[in-house]
Amino acid sequence: MKKLKIILFVAIFSLIGCCIGIGLGWTSKKPVRHNFVIKARQYSYDPAVIVVNRGDTLNFKLVSMDVVHGFYLEGYDIDCEIHPNQKTFKLRHPSQGHFWKDTTDFTVIAKGYGKFKYRCSHTCGTMHPFMQGEMIVEPNVPYHASWGGFVGFMIGMISMFYLMIKKKL
Amino acid sequence: MTKKTDNEEHEELVLEPEGFRINLFKKFPLIKKFAKLKGFQFFLILPSLFIFYIIIISGLIGTPLGNRNIAIVVLWILWWFLLIAILVPLLGRTWCAMCPLPWFGDLFQRMSFFKVRTGKTNYLRNKMFGLNLTWPKRLKNIWLPNINFLILCTFSAILVTRPFVSSFVVSMMLIVATVLAVIFRQRAFCSHVCPVSGFIGLYSKTAMLELRSNDKDVCKNCTDKGCLRGNENGWGCPWFEYMGKLDRNNNCGLCMECVKSCPNDNIALNFRPFATETTLKGYDEAWKGFIDVGTSHAYSLIYLGSSGILKDWVNPTQSNNWTGFFTYVIILWLFSLVVVPGIFFLFTSLSHKLANTGRVSRMEAFKAYSYILIPLGLLAWIAFSVPLLLVNGSYIVSVISDPLGWGWNLFGTRDFQWHPVIPEYIGFIQIALLLIGLGYAIYKGFFIGQRLYNSPTAAFRGLIPVAVFSTVIALAFIMLYIG
């Protein structure tokens, strides 16, 4: 019973922290269109980080600067194969199997909140498994919630010990 | 500043809930039966020895592409994850019991697969072969493993992506372990050299498994001391441990020799709560914690981040950016050996000042509180390792059919496509892991303070800076992972 009380006590602080974090980090902007040209090279993308807002329309053109690379966008069912010196690249939706089609670009609507990585899905060299970029969809709710939640958790733990010393918990 | 009052001198301590102990030998007698087998360790090592040979051979003759070679995929994706996320937190040094590296050395020293030789070698009642020299006193700590670990970390990008390099390093470790076994007593390599052993040893303090004596009084009155000295039933402890005094997992390799050699049947294999042991003996152990936190931050930034510049820096043999490489080396070593401990020292100094009891020195507080980096560091390493498995784990399926990258298709899975598992949820798993680590760090921090100052109020005051430090560390990881 005491254990449950303690867990609840700390959880409440964490939850309050989460809410404050989300509140402080919340942004709401009118959706706009972005055109990105992503250049892939061993073992990074340029731009390495793109920041967009939820609801924005994102148009991607993909270029390889050296060898064959991939572009797997987490959470968006997008996987591409980019060959060097070509204006087109291959695109597929992994959930629909291996049906590749040639294209010059693709468009998605930014959904969800937080960080979505784009990773190389085509073995491109020794460091291939670590080749990745980041698309941050604002507001980055998980990040702001974690900040607030962790600080709230710490305050909750410290308060818990205070109350334990004072024999109130 | 509040001085410790008379009230504080006589206040009641907040008792840490007593952790449970379940003797697995009693509950599952089959485990004890297995542990008592003369070939217990041999049976554990045999499968890992087989895999170890596959790794060495495929590293030498297989494709140089890491993610297409079983050496890299098994070693740095599968083994590493199993070690850090499952074996160490649950089973402590179990890996050390099945590690093939010291096996040839053991074999040389014992000249026997199963039979226990009796005789006299130094303090041992077993006949041991080799020079049996004592390990230098100055090196009887884990400073050497700490440095070796940092060296491996420095070259990690080359180590974990080039099968040949991995194979070479593993082979070298085998040779060094064997040579040291010829020269020095028992497992000198494991106790004082192996970089992985230092890592496992420290984090095995958190493990939910311990090998201990059932009753210390029985050990005290035992004249045989078979656990340490060996006898006709078992070899003397290869880790130099005497069960009557063993109260830490750091140097227990779970080889189970003491279970065989104890004349009083006084050994228990206990299941216990996570993070039970909270004492660090020396600065070498404290610094191991700092190094692990420092390197896990660096790894997270380099391998889980998007910076191409950093990847060029750590990969000079391909990028040819040697200036970048040396910059990285200086930053990594300074950060791990000086910056992290330096910041921690500032926080613990503040903690010491706030506690203000005069009972212990600032350095004692620094050393004692550095324990909090163990649960936090372990969970941070697990958080770092989760994406390695979930994102790149599918390579395991394809390399099983084509271990050398030669185009074989042994089980029909060679063309299995790379497919990350729940990549968009990895961040949430990492948040949960770091929160657990932070929780243990703060929780244990309070009781460490209470043990130091013998006062809950002083412990509470001392906890505040330590809790802030732990939170800052956890948030730095959060920033790297989801920020």
Side-chain angles (χ1 to χ4, degrees):
Chain A
M1 192 61 194
K2 194 183 169 187
K3 220 175 191 175
L4 188 72
K5 218 166 142 185
I6 289 170
I7 291 170
L8 270 176
F9 180 80
V10 178
I12 288 168
F13 272 88
S14 310
L15 210 63
I16 293 170
C18 278
C19 294
I20 293 172
I22 294 171
L24 290 175
W26 189 263
T27 52
S28 177
K29 287 181 183 162
K30 219 175 152 188
V32 292
R33 184 184 169 89
H34 299 273
N35 295 310
F36 295 110
V37 177
I38 308 275
K39 292 174 185 165
R41 69 160 187 99
Q42 285 177 320
Y43 299 98
S44 63
Y45 294 98
D46 180 24
V49 181
I50 56 180
V51 183
V52 299
N53 287 302
R54 189 176 150 87
D56 286 355
T57 303
L58 317 174
N59 179 262
F60 289 93
K61 283 188 171 66
L62 306 176
V63 184
S64 168
M65 309 302 286
D66 40 36
V67 296
V68 181
H69 287 287
F71 183 90
Y72 180 98
L73 185 56
E74 285 176 9
Y76 285 80
D77 199 26
I78 295 282
D79 186 18
C80 303
E81 191 176 292
I82 326 159
H83 289 255
N85 305 318
Q86 284 187 18
K87 283 188 179 165
T88 60
F89 55 89
K90 288 178 178 168
L91 169 77
R92 74 174 182 124
H93 301 287
S95 64
Q96 294 167 20
H98 304 295
F99 306 111
W100 295 96
K101 62 172 185 181
D102 284 322
T103 184
T104 53
D105 64 342
F106 69 88
T107 302
V108 294
I109 305 289
K111 60 176 185 180
Y113 301 96
K115 191 183 270 188
F116 296 85
K117 293 198 172 182
Y118 37 96
R119 302 175 188 275
C120 185
S121 52
H122 191 99
T123 303
C124 63
T126 50
M127 293 276 282
H128 152 74
F130 308 114
M131 179 172 165
Q132 57 203 301
E134 297 166 355
M135 182 172 89
I136 294 160
V137 179
E138 296 279 9
N140 190 346
V141 173
Y143 178 58
H144 296 299
S146 299
W147 262 89
F150 274 52
V151 173
F153 179 79
M154 178 195 72
I155 296 170
M157 291 282 285
I158 291 173
S159 310
M160 173 191 86
F161 282 117
Y162 179 79
L163 292 179
M164 280 168 99
I165 293 167
K166 299 290 172 200
K167 310 264 181 239
K168 288 181 181 165
L169 194 73
Chain B
M1 193 59 55
T2 45
K3 278 267 175 209
K4 193 174 177 187
T5 61
D6 285 347
N7 284 347
E8 281 180 31
E9 288 287 353
H10 301 105
E11 65 190 330
E12 210 177 308
L13 296 178
V14 176
L15 293 178
E16 187 173 5
E18 206 167 296
F20 61 85
R21 291 288 189 284
I22 300 168
N23 186 350
L24 298 178
F25 281 163
K26 237 185 202 169
K27 199 140 180 117
F28 306 103
L30 258 179
I31 299 179
K32 189 170 183 182
K33 227 172 173 179
F34 183 45
K36 282 209 159 204
L37 285 178
K38 291 266 193 280
F40 167 79
Q41 214 176 347
F42 181 72
F43 294 132
L44 281 186
I45 288 176
L46 207 57
S48 53
L49 195 66
F50 174 69
I51 296 167
F52 173 80
Y53 274 121
I54 291 179
I55 287 171
I56 290 189
I57 293 166
S58 55
L60 293 176
I61 63 171
T63 174
L65 279 177
N67 58 312
R68 294 284 169 212
N69 190 312
I70 199 166
I72 293 291
V73 173
V74 165
L75 198 59
W76 300 119
I77 297 178
L78 188 60
W79 172 76
W80 177 255
F81 182 81
L82 288 177
L83 179 76
I84 197 71
I86 295 166
L87 283 179
V88 171
L90 292 181
L91 306 175
R93 271 194 185 269
T94 299
W95 170 254
C96 299
M98 59 174 78
C99 176
L101 294 179
W103 187 68
F104 293 98
D106 282 353
L107 199 61
F108 176 83
Q109 288 181 340
R110 296 172 182 178
M111 290 289 174
S112 160
F113 279 101
F114 303 117
K115 194 187 152 203
V116 180
R117 287 178 192 276
T118 47
K120 187 149 173 54
T121 314
N122 304 315
Y123 64 92
L124 292 168
R125 285 197 310 247
N126 298 124
K127 170 78 183 146
M128 307 296 282
F129 294 86
L131 298 177
N132 279 299
L133 298 183
T134 312
W135 184 252
K137 205 175 171 190
R138 273 190 184 182
L139 297 176
K140 278 188 178 171
N141 47 52
I142 60 164
W143 283 113
L144 206 51
N146 285 352
I147 299 301
N148 290 340
F149 184 75
L150 254 180
I151 293 171
L152 282 190
C153 287
T154 304
F155 296 98
S156 60
I158 299 163
L159 179 69
V160 304
T161 59
R162 268 71 157 188
F164 178 82
V165 178
S166 278
S167 173
F168 174 77
V169 169
V170 170
S171 308
M172 285 310 293
M173 284 169 75
L174 173 94
I175 293 168
V176 174
T178 310
V179 169
L180 289 182
V182 172
I183 301 170
F184 296 102
R185 279 181 206 171
Q186 307 287 59
R187 284 199 172 187
F189 174 78
C190 306
S191 304
H192 306 300
V193 180
C194 178
V196 185
S197 174
F199 185 85
I200 300 175
L202 191 77
Y203 288 132
S204 67
K205 292 174 81 65
T206 63
M208 298 181 79
L209 198 69
E210 64 175 16
L211 197 68
R212 296 288 186 273
S213 71
N214 265 321
D215 184 347
K216 297 271 189 241
D217 287 333
V218 173
C219 295
K220 233 184 244 174
N221 298 324
C222 172
T223 50
D224 188 89
K225 303 277 189 279
C227 56
L228 177 69
R229 302 172 63 202
N231 52 31
E232 67 281 5
N233 297 319
W235 299 95
C237 178
W239 298 76
F240 316 98
E241 290 292 342
Y242 161 54
M243 291 307 284
K245 284 190 176 167
L246 184 71
D247 57 0
R248 293 157 27 103
N249 271 4
N250 297 52
N251 288 319
C252 173
L254 295 172
C255 63
M256 305 288 169
E257 286 303 319
C258 54
V259 180
K260 298 186 251 292
S261 59
C262 177
N264 304 304
D265 199 18
N266 190 33
I267 309 294
L269 182 69
N270 294 323
F271 184 61
R272 64 180 193 181
F274 182 73
T276 301
E277 295 166 27
T278 56
T279 46
L280 294 184
K281 276 199 174 152
Y283 290 111
D284 54 335
E285 292 180 359
W287 248 263
K288 179 74 198 141
F290 300 132
I291 290 169
D292 290 342
V293 166
T295 48
S296 55
H297 264 111
Y299 273 21
S300 301
L301 190 63
I302 296 162
Y303 299 116
L304 303 183
S306 56
S307 167
I309 296 169
L310 286 179
K311 288 186 180 74
D312 281 347
W313 282 11
V314 298
N315 186 27
T317 50
Q318 192 174 4
S319 68
N320 244 335
N321 188 349
W322 290 96
T323 315
F325 177 70
F326 288 115
T327 311
Y328 151 71
V329 174
I330 291 167
I331 293 173
L332 179 74
W333 284 63
L334 269 180
F335 184 66
S336 303
L337 294 174
V338 181
V339 177
V340 178
I343 296 172
F344 187 71
F345 178 74
L346 292 179
F347 276 90
T348 49
S349 294
L350 183 63
S351 158
H352 182 256
K353 205 168 183 183
L354 285 174
N356 196 33
T357 60
R359 262 178 73 94
V360 292
S361 72
R362 203 189 304 188
M363 288 313 286
E364 276 174 282
F366 169 80
K367 191 167 75 182
Y369 275 125
S370 60
Y371 170 81
I372 61 157
L373 292 172
I374 295 176
L376 188 58
L378 176 67
L379 270 298
W381 270 100
I382 299 174
F384 164 76
S385 307
V386 163
L388 297 184
L389 183 76
L390 291 183
V391 172
N392 295 316
S394 56
Y395 288 128
I396 298 167
V397 183
S398 57
V399 298
I400 279 175
S401 276
D402 186 15
L404 302 172
W406 284 358
W408 298 352
N409 200 358
L410 299 175
F411 307 105
T413 57
R414 180 195 61 198
D415 298 321
F416 188 83
Q417 286 285 312
W418 171 79
H419 183 78
V421 179
I422 54 168
E424 59 272 39
Y425 298 108
I426 288 172
F428 296 103
I429 298 171
Q430 290 171 314
I431 294 170
L433 289 167
L434 287 165
L435 194 65
I436 294 170
L438 178 64
Y440 271 102
I442 298 175
Y443 183 76
K444 295 291 172 182
F446 174 78
F447 292 104
I448 288 169
Q450 197 173 241
R451 194 176 63 217
L452 270 178
Y453 305 122
N454 201 29
S455 147
T457 310
F460 170 75
R461 290 198 301 260
L463 175 69
I464 296 167
V466 173
V468 171
F469 175 85
S470 310
T471 310
V472 169
I473 290 283
L475 286 176
F477 280 109
I478 287 291
M479 205 162 82
L480 294 173
Y481 295 150
I482 60 167

